Amino acid sequence: MTVLVVVEHDRGALSPASLEALAAARTIDPVVHALTLGEAADGLATELGTHGAAVVHQVHHDLLCDFGPEAWGESVAQAVRALRPTSALSCGTDRGNEVMAQAAARLDLPFVANVISVSEADVWAVTRVRWGGSLLESCTLTAATKLLTVSHHAFEASESPAAGTPSTLTVELDPSLARTIVTDRVERAAGVTLATSALVVGGGRAVGSAEAFAPLEELAALLGGVVGCSRAVTNNGWRNHTDQVGQTGTRIAPDLYMACGISGAIQHWVGAMASKKILAINTDPEANMVSKADYAVIGDLHKVIPAITAEILRRRG
Amino acid sequence: MKVLVCVKRVPAPGAKINITADGLAIDTAYLAFTTSPHEECAVEEAVQLIERHGGESTVLTLGPAEADEQLRYAASIGVNKAVLLPIDSAEWDPQRTAAAITSAIQGIEATDGPFDLILFGNESADAGNFQVGVRVAHALARPIVNGIKGIEIDDDSLRARRESDAGVEVYSLTMPAVLGVKEGINLPRYPTLKGRLGSKKIEVGQVVAEAMLGGQQMVSLVQSSEPATATIMLGNGPEAAPAVVDLLEELGILK
Ligand SMILES: Cc1cc2nc3c(=O)[nH]c(=O)nc-3n(C[C@H](O)[C@H](O)[C@H](O)COP(=O)(O)OP(=O)(O)OC[C@H]3O[C@@H](n4cnc5c(N)ncnc54)[C@H](O)[C@@H]3O)c2cc1C
Ligand SMILES: Nc1ncnc2c1ncn2[C@@H]1O[C@H](COP(=O)(O)O)[C@@H](O)[C@H]1O
């Protein structure tokens, strides 16, 4: 009885969520193995051992030198057939979900995405998130090998030293699987992004226009943060979708989120709820964002934001 | 070219999701219905591709009879044809959904010829199973890449862009192909009056949905618990600015 953790990495750089998947695996079974795809990931064995992997199955193949959902999914499917684990799991990231879905399709097995807890019997009882995290679903999972991904932040990564013994696993990949391998890349310049910024100034429908975001930009720049927005804003074409916070946008986790003129619909909230503190600025004291926030100012954002900026400049002299 | 888009009817909750007394569904008594923003963008993308390259677009859904509304919405912004796979409940499990959609597509393609491109949302808004598109593509033996935020087509080849933590990844596929689309790929248009009137007249084709239950079965829905926070009021209007800046200093954001 083993649990196999499918390790997500980008050309050898480990995705931190993979360590959460290892932590989750240890709650399911004491014997945890890891699977790394591509030679570039060989160097990860020690770290995976530190986080509880007794054996690290390493797959080498020409088609695994960069990410390709089909080549990765087929490799996972072959690993499951060869190793027969009770469960194979990965992290609930875009890649993790895609690769496990590919493996499930190839194995003709069910696959449960974004799981937060598992209780085992013949038929597993699994809890997973729906609506991006606003709703939980209890479901049963019946399968020879249980395929799942774990929801981000549901398990905390922690060390639990195990051998981390490397072992070679051979797969046969049809050359046609090259059809979905990354062919080109544009690397992002290093810097603060919406997802990693310590401060986000968010604007909603009440901001009113693209130009009216200038005071929010000014305040964010003054505090070394970035501007985010709601879907009402992107839908109006006032800002690019890369600035959208929420279920179908970016999930943020700043020290402070200043939500200005945003009502706090659940689909926005799931993207903002990992913020350490939230300050709502809203004319409506009953707005959902106000009741859920740690702090609130009741008033017109067009007056409150410039006043905050002026006060900062005044104190700085 | 021929493009197919698959969409799922879902409720559109606002500030809170309420669950029915039996714990089996969202209480939709006062809710409107919609599709995922990812799927809205997939529909818009299909319409734009046909505008650019010529051809015909089709929208397909597996859902209750009321999902007719989502099909006609797609038609109102320019999709040419619509297909409904009616079921008795709000949704089927993902394996069963994928199997039914696959056989419907096979049936349509047997009479009307193959789709060059099939678009899915990256994930459905409610269930978020992250798999229906992948299963359908695999069953049809076609390539699929998810998370797509840009599509360029040149004859039979297609370049698709996807964002990752490291930047942008580019995939080069040959059609027929399948893509999972993410919101942000375009800005969906609003239907015109003419579009809305036209959408009332289109004939919605019906295909019988038939497939076996999958291995994942929903038992109940539970609201995720949220710690009740007592909101600290910093004041009203611009006079609250000093209190806000005090807070920024206290949190170490303003140094
Ligand atoms: C499947 C699905 C996915 C979605 N994904 C996302 C997502 O990723 N991100 C997202 O944001 N939304 C998402 N939405 C949309 C979401 O449901 C809401 O429609 C949207 O978040 C509302 O944006 P808003 O708060 O800016 O606008 P509104 O709801 O219109 O709120 C405006 C707020 O501004 C306040 N206000 C008005 N005037 C002023 C003023 N002068 N000063 C201060 N406050 C003022 C009002 O009191 C109100 O609270 C999704 C919806 C669905 C169905
Ligand atoms: N009932 C359905 N009818 C049509 N398409 C669907 C249905 N369910 C899911 N899909 C499509 O499959 C995608 C992925 O769904 P899911 O696997 O539930 O996350 C969605 O974005 C839709 O494009």
Side-chain angles (χ1 to χ4, degrees), chain A residues 18-30:
Chain A
S18 287
L19 300 179
E20 296 178 12
L22 278 164
R26 301 199 313 259
T27 69
I28 295 175
D29 196 294

mmCIF file with all atom_site columns, all heavy atoms in Angstrom, chain A residues 18-30:
data_model
loop_
_atom_site.group_PDB
_atom_site.id
_atom_site.type_symbol
_atom_site.label_atom_id
_atom_site.label_alt_id
_atom_site.label_comp_id
_atom_site.label_asym_id
_atom_site.label_entity_id
_atom_site.label_seq_id
_atom_site.pdbx_PDB_ins_code
_atom_site.Cartn_x
_atom_site.Cartn_y
_atom_site.Cartn_z
_atom_site.occupancy
_atom_site.B_iso_or_equiv
_atom_site.pdbx_formal_charge
_atom_site.auth_seq_id
_atom_site.auth_comp_id
_atom_site.auth_asym_id
_atom_site.auth_atom_id
_atom_site.pdbx_PDB_model_num
ATOM 1  N N   . SER A 1 18 ? 3.820  21.169 -4.486 1.00 0.00 ? 18 SER A N   1
ATOM 2  C CA  . SER A 1 18 ? 4.135  19.735 -4.470 1.00 0.00 ? 18 SER A CA  1
ATOM 3  C C   . SER A 1 18 ? 4.445  19.261 -3.052 1.00 0.00 ? 18 SER A C   1
ATOM 4  O O   . SER A 1 18 ? 4.168  18.115 -2.698 1.00 0.00 ? 18 SER A O   1
ATOM 5  C CB  . SER A 1 18 ? 5.339  19.432 -5.362 1.00 0.00 ? 18 SER A CB  1
ATOM 6  O OG  . SER A 1 18 ? 4.973  19.540 -6.708 1.00 0.00 ? 18 SER A OG  1
ATOM 7  N N   . LEU A 1 19 ? 5.029  20.148 -2.245 1.00 0.00 ? 19 LEU A N   1
ATOM 8  C CA  . LEU A 1 19 ? 5.345  19.768 -0.868 1.00 0.00 ? 19 LEU A CA  1
ATOM 9  C C   . LEU A 1 19 ? 4.060  19.651 -0.042 1.00 0.00 ? 19 LEU A C   1
ATOM 10 O O   . LEU A 1 19 ? 3.976  18.832 0.882  1.00 0.00 ? 19 LEU A O   1
ATOM 11 C CB  . LEU A 1 19 ? 6.325  20.773 -0.245 1.00 0.00 ? 19 LEU A CB  1
ATOM 12 C CG  . LEU A 1 19 ? 7.674  20.882 -0.976 1.00 0.00 ? 19 LEU A CG  1
ATOM 13 C CD1 . LEU A 1 19 ? 8.570  21.918 -0.300 1.00 0.00 ? 19 LEU A CD1 1
ATOM 14 C CD2 . LEU A 1 19 ? 8.384  19.522 -1.033 1.00 0.00 ? 19 LEU A CD2 1
ATOM 15 N N   . GLU A 1 20 ? 3.055  20.449 -0.394 1.00 0.00 ? 20 GLU A N   1
ATOM 16 C CA  . GLU A 1 20 ? 1.745  20.302 0.259  1.00 0.00 ? 20 GLU A CA  1
ATOM 17 C C   . GLU A 1 20 ? 1.143  18.949 -0.123 1.00 0.00 ? 20 GLU A C   1
ATOM 18 O O   . GLU A 1 20 ? 0.515  18.284 0.709  1.00 0.00 ? 20 GLU A O   1
ATOM 19 C CB  . GLU A 1 20 ? 0.797  21.425 -0.169 1.00 0.00 ? 20 GLU A CB  1
ATOM 20 C CG  . GLU A 1 20 ? 1.264  22.816 0.265  1.00 0.00 ? 20 GLU A CG  1
ATOM 21 C CD  . GLU A 1 20 ? 0.328  23.934 -0.222 1.00 0.00 ? 20 GLU A CD  1
ATOM 22 O OE1 . GLU A 1 20 ? -0.785 23.641 -0.696 1.00 0.00 ? 20 GLU A OE1 1
ATOM 23 O OE2 . GLU A 1 20 ? 0.736  25.105 -0.124 1.00 0.00 ? 20 GLU A OE2 1
ATOM 24 N N   . ALA A 1 21 ? 1.335  18.544 -1.374 1.00 0.00 ? 21 ALA A N   1
ATOM 25 C CA  . ALA A 1 21 ? 0.816  17.241 -1.811 1.00 0.00 ? 21 ALA A CA  1
ATOM 26 C C   . ALA A 1 21 ? 1.500  16.107 -1.041 1.00 0.00 ? 21 ALA A C   1
ATOM 27 O O   . ALA A 1 21 ? 0.858  15.115 -0.668 1.00 0.00 ? 21 ALA A O   1
ATOM 28 C CB  . ALA A 1 21 ? 1.010  17.070 -3.317 1.00 0.00 ? 21 ALA A CB  1
ATOM 29 N N   . LEU A 1 22 ? 2.808  16.258 -0.771 1.00 0.00 ? 22 LEU A N   1
ATOM 30 C CA  . LEU A 1 22 ? 3.512  15.235 0.023  1.00 0.00 ? 22 LEU A CA  1
ATOM 31 C C   . LEU A 1 22 ? 2.952  15.188 1.447  1.00 0.00 ? 22 LEU A C   1
ATOM 32 O O   . LEU A 1 22 ? 2.751  14.108 2.014  1.00 0.00 ? 22 LEU A O   1
ATOM 33 C CB  . LEU A 1 22 ? 5.015  15.534 0.061  1.00 0.00 ? 22 LEU A CB  1
ATOM 34 C CG  . LEU A 1 22 ? 5.809  15.071 -1.160 1.00 0.00 ? 22 LEU A CG  1
ATOM 35 C CD1 . LEU A 1 22 ? 7.172  15.752 -1.211 1.00 0.00 ? 22 LEU A CD1 1
ATOM 36 C CD2 . LEU A 1 22 ? 5.984  13.547 -1.163 1.00 0.00 ? 22 LEU A CD2 1
ATOM 37 N N   . ALA A 1 23 ? 2.680  16.359 2.022  1.00 0.00 ? 23 ALA A N   1
ATOM 38 C CA  . ALA A 1 23 ? 2.106  16.406 3.369  1.00 0.00 ? 23 ALA A CA  1
ATOM 39 C C   . ALA A 1 23 ? 0.734  15.729 3.372  1.00 0.00 ? 23 ALA A C   1
ATOM 40 O O   . ALA A 1 23 ? 0.405  14.970 4.293  1.00 0.00 ? 23 ALA A O   1
ATOM 41 C CB  . ALA A 1 23 ? 1.996  17.855 3.846  1.00 0.00 ? 23 ALA A CB  1
ATOM 42 N N   . ALA A 1 24 ? -0.055 15.982 2.339  1.00 0.00 ? 24 ALA A N   1
ATOM 43 C CA  . ALA A 1 24 ? -1.378 15.362 2.236  1.00 0.00 ? 24 ALA A CA  1
ATOM 44 C C   . ALA A 1 24 ? -1.242 13.843 2.120  1.00 0.00 ? 24 ALA A C   1
ATOM 45 O O   . ALA A 1 24 ? -1.970 13.081 2.766  1.00 0.00 ? 24 ALA A O   1
ATOM 46 C CB  . ALA A 1 24 ? -2.128 15.910 1.027  1.00 0.00 ? 24 ALA A CB  1
ATOM 47 N N   . ALA A 1 25 ? -0.283 13.399 1.314  1.00 0.00 ? 25 ALA A N   1
ATOM 48 C CA  . ALA A 1 25 ? -0.082 11.960 1.095  1.00 0.00 ? 25 ALA A CA  1
ATOM 49 C C   . ALA A 1 25 ? 0.228  11.251 2.411  1.00 0.00 ? 25 ALA A C   1
ATOM 50 O O   . ALA A 1 25 ? -0.250 10.138 2.664  1.00 0.00 ? 25 ALA A O   1
ATOM 51 C CB  . ALA A 1 25 ? 1.053  11.750 0.093  1.00 0.00 ? 25 ALA A CB  1
ATOM 52 N N   . ARG A 1 26 ? 0.999  11.901 3.263  1.00 0.00 ? 26 ARG A N   1
ATOM 53 C CA  . ARG A 1 26 ? 1.381  11.269 4.541  1.00 0.00 ? 26 ARG A CA  1
ATOM 54 C C   . ARG A 1 26 ? 0.178  11.081 5.454  1.00 0.00 ? 26 ARG A C   1
ATOM 55 O O   . ARG A 1 26 ? 0.198  10.233 6.338  1.00 0.00 ? 26 ARG A O   1
ATOM 56 C CB  . ARG A 1 26 ? 2.463  12.107 5.244  1.00 0.00 ? 26 ARG A CB  1
ATOM 57 C CG  . ARG A 1 26 ? 3.737  12.285 4.393  1.00 0.00 ? 26 ARG A CG  1
ATOM 58 C CD  . ARG A 1 26 ? 4.939  12.692 5.235  1.00 0.00 ? 26 ARG A CD  1
ATOM 59 N NE  . ARG A 1 26 ? 4.646  13.781 6.154  1.00 0.00 ? 26 ARG A NE  1
ATOM 60 C CZ  . ARG A 1 26 ? 4.978  15.067 5.942  1.00 0.00 ? 26 ARG A CZ  1
ATOM 61 N NH1 . ARG A 1 26 ? 5.597  15.434 4.823  1.00 0.00 ? 26 ARG A NH1 1
ATOM 62 N NH2 . ARG A 1 26 ? 4.694  15.979 6.841  1.00 0.00 ? 26 ARG A NH2 1
ATOM 63 N N   . THR A 1 27 ? -0.888 11.889 5.261  1.00 0.00 ? 27 THR A N   1
ATOM 64 C CA  . THR A 1 27 ? -2.088 11.675 6.073  1.00 0.00 ? 27 THR A CA  1
ATOM 65 C C   . THR A 1 27 ? -2.901 10.485 5.558  1.00 0.00 ? 27 THR A C   1
ATOM 66 O O   . THR A 1 27 ? -3.755 9.962  6.252  1.00 0.00 ? 27 THR A O   1
ATOM 67 C CB  . THR A 1 27 ? -3.022 12.927 6.076  1.00 0.00 ? 27 THR A CB  1
ATOM 68 O OG1 . THR A 1 27 ? -3.581 13.077 4.767  1.00 0.00 ? 27 THR A OG1 1
ATOM 69 C CG2 . THR A 1 27 ? -2.258 14.188 6.462  1.00 0.00 ? 27 THR A CG2 1
ATOM 70 N N   . ILE A 1 28 ? -2.632 10.062 4.315  1.00 0.00 ? 28 ILE A N   1
ATOM 71 C CA  . ILE A 1 28 ? -3.397 8.963  3.725  1.00 0.00 ? 28 ILE A CA  1
ATOM 72 C C   . ILE A 1 28 ? -2.724 7.629  4.001  1.00 0.00 ? 28 ILE A C   1
ATOM 73 O O   . ILE A 1 28 ? -3.374 6.630  4.295  1.00 0.00 ? 28 ILE A O   1
ATOM 74 C CB  . ILE A 1 28 ? -3.558 9.177  2.202  1.00 0.00 ? 28 ILE A CB  1
ATOM 75 C CG1 . ILE A 1 28 ? -4.398 10.428 1.925  1.00 0.00 ? 28 ILE A CG1 1
ATOM 76 C CG2 . ILE A 1 28 ? -4.186 7.953  1.549  1.00 0.00 ? 28 ILE A CG2 1
ATOM 77 C CD1 . ILE A 1 28 ? -4.515 10.779 0.456  1.00 0.00 ? 28 ILE A CD1 1
ATOM 78 N N   . ASP A 1 29 ? -1.398 7.594  3.915  1.00 0.00 ? 29 ASP A N   1
ATOM 79 C CA  . ASP A 1 29 ? -0.672 6.335  4.072  1.00 0.00 ? 29 ASP A CA  1
ATOM 80 C C   . ASP A 1 29 ? 0.748  6.636  4.545  1.00 0.00 ? 29 ASP A C   1
ATOM 81 O O   . ASP A 1 29 ? 1.360  7.595  4.092  1.00 0.00 ? 29 ASP A O   1
ATOM 82 C CB  . ASP A 1 29 ? -0.627 5.614  2.714  1.00 0.00 ? 29 ASP A CB  1
ATOM 83 C CG  . ASP A 1 29 ? -0.244 4.150  2.854  1.00 0.00 ? 29 ASP A CG  1
ATOM 84 O OD1 . ASP A 1 29 ? 0.910  3.865  3.247  1.00 0.00 ? 29 ASP A OD1 1
ATOM 85 O OD2 . ASP A 1 29 ? -1.111 3.302  2.594  1.00 0.00 ? 29 ASP A OD2 1
ATOM 86 N N   . PRO A 1 30 ? 1.274  5.823  5.458  1.00 0.00 ? 30 PRO A N   1
ATOM 87 C CA  . PRO A 1 30 ? 2.634  6.081  5.923  1.00 0.00 ? 30 PRO A CA  1
ATOM 88 C C   . PRO A 1 30 ? 3.693  5.877  4.838  1.00 0.00 ? 30 PRO A C   1
ATOM 89 O O   . PRO A 1 30 ? 4.782  6.454  4.922  1.00 0.00 ? 30 PRO A O   1
ATOM 90 C CB  . PRO A 1 30 ? 2.830  5.097  7.078  1.00 0.00 ? 30 PRO A CB  1
ATOM 91 C CG  . PRO A 1 30 ? 1.730  4.103  6.968  1.00 0.00 ? 30 PRO A CG  1
ATOM 92 C CD  . PRO A 1 30 ? 0.622  4.736  6.196  1.00 0.00 ? 30 PRO A CD  1
#
